Amino acid sequence: MTGAGPDHLGGPPRRARVACMISMVLLGLLVGSWAPRIPGVKQELGVSDGELGVALLGAPLGAVATMWLTGMLLDRFGSRAVVRVMLVLTCSVGVLVAFAGDVAELFAVLALWGAAGSALDVGLNAQIATVERRYGRPIMTTAHAAWAAGALAGAGVGSAGAGLDVPLAAQFGVVGAFCLVAMFPATGAMLPPEPAARGVAPQRGRATAEPAAPRRPGRVGLPEARRRVRRFRPRRGRMPRALVALCAMAFATMLCEGVAADWSALYLEDVTGAAAGVSGVGYAVFNGCMLLTRIVGDRATLRFGPDRLVRALAGAAACLFALALATGATAAGTLTGVVGFAALGAGTACVFPVGVSAAVRVGTRTGASVAAFATLGYVGWLSGPALIGGLSELVGLRGAMIVVIGLLAVIVLLAPALAAGDDQRAAPVPAELPVVEPLGAELHGAKPPGVKPSGVEPSGVGSAVDAPRAGEG
């Protein structure tokens, strides 16, 4: 009997993986279709840039303010139920943006939309983490690549709608209805909460629960040493130190993303002297390199480990971005600046996805852990523009950008936290799975009972995955 990794599990984990990928693409499509319509909303409301900026703060502030509630809902009802409810709210509330008549109304609607959308996002991440454990190999980075691809498609839809003067209400109505019709049936394939998520007390020691799915005949279990999972049992009410480090990494990487989104064009234009048509290339290559890195991120994580991968990418990004700042005022400043932002996109691409998986492993509760991690990420995204803007008033934009190098250094230093509780590299994946001799074979010269066949089965096979791990959920 042959196999090529954990795909032999089939059934629920495989279908849930497909459902998560589809959902992430559609969520990115829905969110990405909004950005190109912002200038039209500003013109229709007749507000200034400052007033529009205040209104746009509603989405991230609504997300941060309600993230604790999202964590409670995840731990109480599970990610699948949260995804279903928040999907309906996100697709419905988006239409209300088109009917906002002033800054206050736009702020309120965006706050509600941001709260529902962030809850949907966190719920999907929690579901992907659950599927990842059952599936037996990393899938989180690919899922975030799917979101990025959907966001790019959404930006195209929004741009086309703006160019064709399609009413915003019609665009949100059509896109929201499409996402709801396509995504809601997919939630039926998502996995229900694991026993620990339903309040079942985790067992101590090795996972000894009965398998969630029947094992195929002919498989053998992993060696005892391969099934050991490092666990973290912090004192009640105290956040694990590894989770604190992961939250700091979320803050750092999302702050870097916020800097690239808001300041890359201005840096290339004001510091390096790039033309107006070229200054936007920095953010384009940032997103492109982030997407490409996430596409291959899961395979690289499986091969090298999340800590080594992130440390290498963030370290290289820090060096190249430092080179860009050092040569910013020279003739090559524009080229090195573009390279620096490209490296920044690749260097931060995998931090958030693998950080979510690590937060689930080291946290005591899945919902609370993912919510805490995502909250610090949103805070970092909010802090970036203000931090760089304030520092640029004191030391100039080029000097303020040194903060990015410091943030990348923080990611490099804290990268070992990504490997906390990680057993995905414990067992290699052989080309062929071992086969147990059929009943009675020992009577015909086969190995006597009690002698195990040589070889090990791939990571994710047998009781190490089929049985819920103690302390997880």
Side-chain angles (χ1 to χ4, degrees):
M1 188 178 298
T2 62
D7 284 353
H8 74 277
L9 285 172
R14 199 174 196 177
R15 291 193 298 269
R17 182 189 65 160
V18 175
C20 289
M21 298 300 169
I22 293 174
S23 300
M24 291 294 278
V25 170
L26 294 176
L27 177 59
L29 175 68
L30 182 63
V31 175
S33 65
W34 157 242
R37 304 305 301 264
I38 293 177
V41 171
K42 174 180 178 293
Q43 183 178 3
E44 184 175 349
L45 294 179
V47 297
S48 64
D49 290 342
E51 291 173 326
L52 179 64
V54 172
L56 294 179
L57 278 176
L61 289 178
V64 172
T66 59
M67 196 65 70
W68 62 272
L69 178 60
T70 302
M72 293 175 59
L73 293 174
L74 286 171
D75 290 326
R76 177 65 179 85
F77 300 104
S79 58
R80 183 170 65 179
V82 171
V83 166
R84 285 176 170 174
V85 174
M86 294 304 166
L87 170 63
V88 176
L89 286 177
T90 303
C91 294
S92 303
V93 175
V95 181
L96 300 179
V97 175
F99 299 99
D102 53 34
V103 172
E105 292 181 4
L106 182 60
F107 178 91
V109 173
L110 288 178
L112 182 58
W113 195 41
S118 66
L120 175 59
D121 185 24
V122 173
L124 278 174
N125 276 279
Q127 173 66 205
I128 295 167
T130 301
V131 176
E132 191 174 55
R133 292 197 299 271
R134 290 284 305 277
Y135 195 67
R137 66 170 54 170
I139 64 170
M140 186 68 73
T141 307
T142 303
H144 281 254
W147 186 95
L152 289 176
V157 171
S159 299
L164 297 174
D165 291 328
V166 176
L168 182 59
Q171 175 186 306
F172 269 125
V174 172
V175 174
F178 172 76
C179 292
L180 183 61
V181 171
M183 185 173 167
F184 196 87
T187 61
M190 293 182 178
L191 299 180
E194 292 179 323
R198 294 181 180 134
V200 178
Q203 304 176 25
R204 294 186 178 273
R206 299 193 310 271
T208 57
E210 290 297 324
R215 295 175 58 187
R216 293 186 180 183
R219 310 289 185 185
V220 297
L222 292 173
E224 181 65 26
R226 303 282 191 195
R227 289 187 290 176
R228 291 177 181 172
V229 181
R230 284 175 286 173
R231 299 179 179 87
F232 295 80
R233 295 188 178 91
R235 296 180 180 177
R236 185 179 298 273
R238 181 176 299 180
M239 183 180 292
R241 286 181 296 177
L243 184 56
V244 173
L246 293 171
C247 290
M249 294 179 67
F251 177 86
T253 189
M254 293 301 290
L255 200 154
C256 287
E257 290 190 32
V259 169
D262 294 326
W263 294 100
S264 58
L266 194 61
Y267 171 84
L268 291 176
E269 187 171 340
D270 291 354
V271 176
T272 71
V278 179
S279 59
V281 174
Y283 190 53
V285 298
F286 172 86
N287 280 320
C289 289
M290 175 172 283
L291 175 60
L292 292 176
T293 305
R294 285 179 172 176
I295 290 175
V296 300
D298 284 328
R299 292 187 178 183
T301 299
L302 189 62
R303 180 171 182 178
F304 303 107
D307 51 336
R308 295 176 183 174
L309 176 64
V310 166
R311 186 186 296 117
L313 291 175
C319 295
L320 290 174
F321 203 82
L323 176 64
L325 295 182
T327 59
T330 66
T334 300
L335 176 61
T336 57
V338 170
V339 172
F341 284 109
L344 184 61
T348 58
C350 297
V351 179
F352 198 89
V354 299
V356 172
S357 298
V360 171
R361 289 195 304 269
V362 305
T364 55
R365 292 182 298 163
T366 295
S369 300
V370 176
F373 183 83
T375 299
L376 267 292
Y378 275 103
V379 172
W381 179 272
L382 286 172
S383 303
L387 177 62
I388 297 300
L391 289 176
S392 64
E393 293 290 334
L394 300 176
V395 297
L397 182 56
R398 183 182 174 191
M401 285 291 190
I402 297 177
V403 170
V404 173
I405 301 175
L407 294 170
L408 291 171
V410 169
I411 293 173
V412 172
L413 292 175
L414 298 180
L418 295 170
D422 181 25
D423 65 336
Q424 304 225 28
R425 288 174 286 169
V429 180
E432 298 228 355
L433 297 176
V435 180
V436 174
E437 298 295 340
L439 183 64
E442 65 275 7
L443 301 179
H444 302 281
K447 295 179 181 179
V451 178
K452 295 182 179 180
S454 59
V456 295
E457 67 181 350
S459 175
V461 181
S463 61
V465 168
D466 294 337
R469 294 174 185 166
E472 288 187 348

